[in-house]
Amino acid sequence: MAKLNMNYACLRDSYLFHNIAQRISSYTAAHPEQKLLRMGIGDVTRPLPGAVVRALHEAVEDQAKQETFRGYCPECGLPFLREVIAAHYASRGVTVMQDEVFVSSGASDELGDLLDLFAQDSTVLIMEPAYPAYVDANVMAGHRIIHLAASAENEFLPMPGEECGADVIYICSPNNPTGAVFTRQQLKAWVDFANAHDSVILFDAAYEAFIRDDRFPHSIFEIEGAGTCAIEICSLSKTAGFTGTRLGYTVIPQTLERCGMNLNAMWVRNRTTKTNGVSYILQKGAAAVFTPEGQREIAENIAVYRENAAVLMRALDAAGVRYFGGRNAPYIWLACPGGMDGWSFFDLLLHEIQVVGTPGEGFGACGRGYFRLTAFADPEDTKEAAGRLEKLLCGMKE
Ligand code: PLP
């Protein structure tokens, strides 16, 4: 009889989005005339930049002609894309070699696949509230998880302490769901801690493009010492609208070694065994993101999301509600008024003002009493939602 990975039996039901969907469908069944304003989605809404679309079309044409047709691509990424990504790092003063860049099908895929590098009895540190996939991927792998609770007291930016000794440390900055961002000094403390404990940091930079304040590094490799302890996982999903197109990249320094093994070489071995690379067409489209035109266009899209965040933050400020994130992240993490839990606040917003967000409880136990709003919605919907939210919250104070 086939023996299965029984770690799957330890997974908790991912009830968050299911539960949200159920509450929405019973509400809309009873109130079909009401339009819901969805401020809960983590998916982008702006279309791909024109430069990317043109590059994708050209790449399709390449595949149609004998002279330019491409078969399998190198598993770790096509040289032209690895080169422009390395140059992108260089433009920010960070030295990354081409062979340290691995083109991927997105951050989610990588965050799961990279666990292949670590032993089955590994311990991982996950700062919570957290992107739920971190916990689930490690439960599947049978790893021991240390849950490090973040809170308003540490501005949702927990710092290393005795309890943090782990083989793998997840850092997500800017954070999903809290929008909190580590400063250079704070990240330096984590890098020093990881080097001192022989840990490896998995640095999830999916939202780095939303950083606008110089105090916050876009890349962990801006921090001295990161080259010997960190892997950086990046994505074009939120940066360039690639959630449905799928492309990301991962940086594993040549200098990252543990147990006498080189993690870059291990990952080359992993990719050349387990993948046949990312499609040529998508890699051409991705390269266009790093052209001056592509960069200008993605900045325009991000400006739209930033303005959405500003609109929501102004409403919360007017209502005197405490929140985190929003300025350097597309997420706003607010404290539910009157000590409400996230689900009660969810129901209140759905029934009273037809606004949908995400209860903090979905991101770990310490998310209780918080609520996530996102800046990815349509600008008109966002303005409407912010107006309704402000009115409701101000009314609750009276
Ligand atoms: N990491 C974080 C923190 C995310 O919030 C998300 C998606 O929402 C991802 C990774 C996944 O990104 P990708 O679309 O590249 O798989």
Side-chain angles (χ1 to χ4, degrees):
M1 191 170 61
K3 292 205 185 88
L4 299 182
N5 178 352
M6 293 310 289
N7 294 322
Y8 280 67
C10 304
L11 286 168
R12 283 205 283 155
D13 280 347
S14 122
Y15 67 95
L16 174 68
F17 292 106
H18 176 71
N19 205 341
I20 290 176
Q22 274 202 330
R23 287 174 196 228
I24 292 176
S25 68
S26 37
Y27 179 80
T28 44
H31 307 277
E33 73 292 352
Q34 296 281 15
K35 180 190 173 201
L36 297 185
L37 300 172
R38 293 175 189 267
M39 299 295 126
I41 46 158
D43 199 352
V44 292
T45 48
R46 311 271 310 155
L48 289 173
V52 171
V53 174
R54 276 194 300 285
L56 290 170
H57 280 299
E58 282 163 26
V60 171
E61 288 303 321
D62 287 348
Q63 292 297 71
K65 288 186 238 133
Q66 186 67 61
E67 320 80 79
T68 46
F69 170 77
R70 304 277 317 219
Y72 288 125
C73 294
E75 295 88 345
C76 300
L78 280 156
F80 67 76
L81 182 55
R82 298 176 94 184
E83 189 183 325
V84 294
I85 293 171
H88 182 66
Y89 275 97
S91 72
R92 288 192 181 142
V94 177
T95 305
V96 164
M97 310 308 288
Q98 271 186 55
D99 62 3
E100 296 177 319
V101 176
F102 295 84
V103 176
S104 77
S105 296
S108 279
D109 310 50
E110 289 290 269
L111 285 160
D113 293 353
L114 281 164
L115 295 184
D116 272 7
L117 296 176
F118 303 99
Q120 260 183 358
D121 60 354
S122 292
T123 301
V124 303
L125 180 82
I126 300 180
M127 300 174 196
E128 291 185 358
Y131 178 52
Y134 300 162
V135 171
D136 287 351
N138 280 285
V139 170
M140 288 175 189
H143 293 162
R144 189 167 78 80
I145 301 175
I146 302 172
H147 301 267
L148 179 63
S151 66
E153 281 70 57
N154 53 28
E155 308 239 319
F156 290 97
L157 296 166
M159 296 306 293
E162 266 170 34
E163 72 284 19
C164 300
D167 302 302
V168 179
I169 297 172
Y170 281 82
I171 299 181
C172 179
S173 179
N175 187 275
N176 177 11
T178 66
V181 197
F182 282 103
T183 63
R184 276 168 220 288
Q185 289 79 357
Q186 289 169 324
L187 267 191
K188 175 76 174 127
W190 278 108
V191 164
D192 290 346
F193 180 86
N195 277 321
H197 291 77
D198 276 342
S199 314
V200 171
I201 293 174
L202 294 184
F203 188 77
D204 184 342
Y207 298 99
E208 61 80 19
F210 288 82
I211 294 175
R212 54 175 153 179
D213 184 331
D214 270 353
R215 286 186 307 138
F216 305 118
H218 289 252
S219 162
I220 195 160
F221 299 117
E222 292 176 41
I223 309 298
E224 196 195 332
T228 51
C229 70
I231 293 176
E232 179 156 292
I233 299 104
C234 301
S235 167
L236 294 187
S237 283
K238 311 298 162 87
T239 308
F242 269 61
T243 50
T245 304
R246 311 300 306 145
L247 194 132
Y249 51 96
T250 298
V251 176
I252 308 184
Q254 288 287 2
T255 42
L256 180 57
E257 296 193 336
R258 292 290 180 271
C259 314
M261 306 271 282
N262 179 294
L263 277 82
N264 180 293
M266 286 171 75
W267 196 237
V268 171
R269 196 73 173 86
N270 180 294
R271 295 293 85 182
T272 50
T273 306
K274 293 197 169 182
T275 76
N276 265 326
V278 174
S279 124
Y280 164 73
I281 296 167
L282 298 187
Q283 294 195 63
K284 282 296 244 189
V289 170
F290 299 94
T291 60
E293 192 188 358
Q295 289 291 298
R296 188 180 46 72
E297 288 179 314
I298 66 169
E300 281 166 14
N301 280 347
I302 288 172
V304 172
Y305 298 136
R306 279 197 182 128
E307 179 52 26
N308 284 347
V311 165
L312 291 167
M313 288 191 291
R314 279 198 290 274
L316 296 174
D317 285 337
V321 170
R322 187 172 189 202
Y323 61 87
F324 299 83
R327 263 197 63 75
N328 292 280
Y331 297 116
I332 296 170
W333 181 248
L334 62 104
C336 300
M340 268 181 156
D341 67 78
W343 283 110
S344 306
F345 190 59
F346 176 91
D347 287 335
L348 179 78
L349 297 195
L350 177 62
H351 289 265
E352 296 297 323
I353 57 171
Q354 294 75 49
V355 168
V356 178
T358 314
E361 283 82 345
F363 304 97
C366 59
R368 190 181 157 80
Y370 284 88
F371 199 76
R372 191 190 76 173
L373 293 174
T374 90
F376 288 123
D378 170 77
E380 289 311 312
D381 283 0
T382 305
K383 282 187 202 130
E384 179 66 33
R388 292 186 198 177
L389 197 58
E390 183 178 330
K391 200 162 155 218
L392 177 83
L393 292 170
C394 288
M396 285 171 78
K397 284 200 303 189
E398 282 156 13

